[in-house]
């Protein structure tokens, strides 16, 4: 009911609140738990990719600005901030639920450009979804489709050196 559904899209574009999400979920599934339990089950879904966290640390140590561009919601952000200390060290955060647009919609990419102060090839974008990469390429961004840190990390350094 939730994964990649219109309901998730509405929540992650800020069109419905957490309470409305829970209300619809309860009506559609017969869920009998409380909001706190649902919140935890919905939010606690992430795991750290250690090599990518280390890449982020190295980029920051070299003074390279880093930014988050994410299709997400307030619950996920809360869990990530609580569980992953590295997440506090980005220059800016663009979340779909705040800008009311999800990747690959142009508006979310424009919000990142405005926040970061960079456009076109001055941005190196990494994502694991081809449609999001294609949207970034359409804006002239350097883009990497991520599947494996062992491939992505050397390519980041190669592009930054060039």
């Amino acid at each position: 009911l939730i994964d990649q559904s219109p309901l998730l899209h509405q929540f992650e574009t800020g069109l419905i609140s957490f309470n409305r999400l829970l209300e619809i979920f309860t009506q559609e599934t017969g869920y009998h738990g409380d909001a706190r339990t649902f919140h935890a089950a919905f939010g606690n879904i992430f795991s750290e990719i250690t090599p990518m966290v280390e890449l982020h640390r190295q980029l920051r140590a070299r003074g390279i600005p880093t930014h988050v561009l994410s299709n997400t919601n307030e619950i996920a952000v809360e869990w990530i901030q609580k569980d992953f200390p590295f997440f506090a060290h980005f220059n800016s955060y663009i979340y779909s639920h705040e800008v009311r647009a999800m990747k690959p919609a142009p508006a979310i990419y424009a919000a990142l450009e405005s926040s970061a102060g960079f456009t076109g090839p001055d941005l190196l974008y990494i994502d694991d979804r081809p449609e999001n990469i294609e949207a970034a390429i359409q804006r002239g961004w350097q883009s990497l489709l991520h599947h494996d840190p062992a491939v992505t990390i050397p390519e980041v350094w190669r592009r930054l050196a060039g």
Side-chain angles (χ1 to χ4, degrees):
L1 177 65
I2 293 178
D3 186 40
Q4 304 303 312
S5 73
L7 183 60
L8 180 66
H9 187 271
Q10 290 173 344
F11 186 48
E12 292 197 340
T13 53
L15 297 176
I16 62 172
S17 67
F18 170 73
N19 289 338
R20 180 68 180 136
L21 171 76
L22 180 57
E23 178 184 330
I24 294 168
F25 184 80
T26 299
Q27 289 170 354
E28 296 291 324
T29 66
Y31 174 74
H32 295 293
D34 63 15
R36 174 182 243 158
T37 302
F38 181 83
H39 189 278
F42 189 86
N44 192 13
I45 60 169
F46 302 97
S47 59
E48 189 173 282
I49 303 170
T50 305
M52 297 304 287
V53 173
E54 177 59 20
L55 170 64
H56 178 250
R57 187 196 63 74
Q58 291 174 6
L59 292 170
R60 297 285 295 165
R62 292 184 184 194
I64 298 170
T66 58
H67 307 269
V68 172
L69 178 64
S70 182
N71 288 347
T72 195
N73 58 75
E74 65 219 36
I75 298 171
V77 171
E78 180 182 317
W79 279 93
I80 292 169
Q81 288 173 336
K82 178 178 70 73
D83 290 344
F84 303 104
F86 81 90
F87 202 70
H89 302 288
F90 287 86
N91 292 82
S92 70
Y93 305 82
I94 303 299
Y95 301 131
S96 60
H97 71 281
E98 292 179 347
V99 299
R100 296 185 182 249
M102 291 180 74
K103 297 179 288 183
I108 195 168
Y109 297 86
L112 185 277
E113 290 171 341
S114 178
S115 176
F118 296 102
T119 60
D122 293 333
L123 291 166
L124 174 57
Y125 177 64
I126 303 167
D127 199 298
D128 63 349
R129 297 186 61 112
E131 65 272 21
N132 298 341
I133 291 295
E134 183 56 36
I137 290 170
Q138 293 297 317
R139 299 187 77 82
W141 297 9
Q142 296 184 63
S143 300
L144 292 173
L145 184 60
H146 172 72
H147 293 293
D148 180 355
V151 174
T152 300
I153 292 169
E155 182 61 16
V156 166
W157 291 121
R158 187 188 72 73
R159 291 196 187 194
L160 291 175

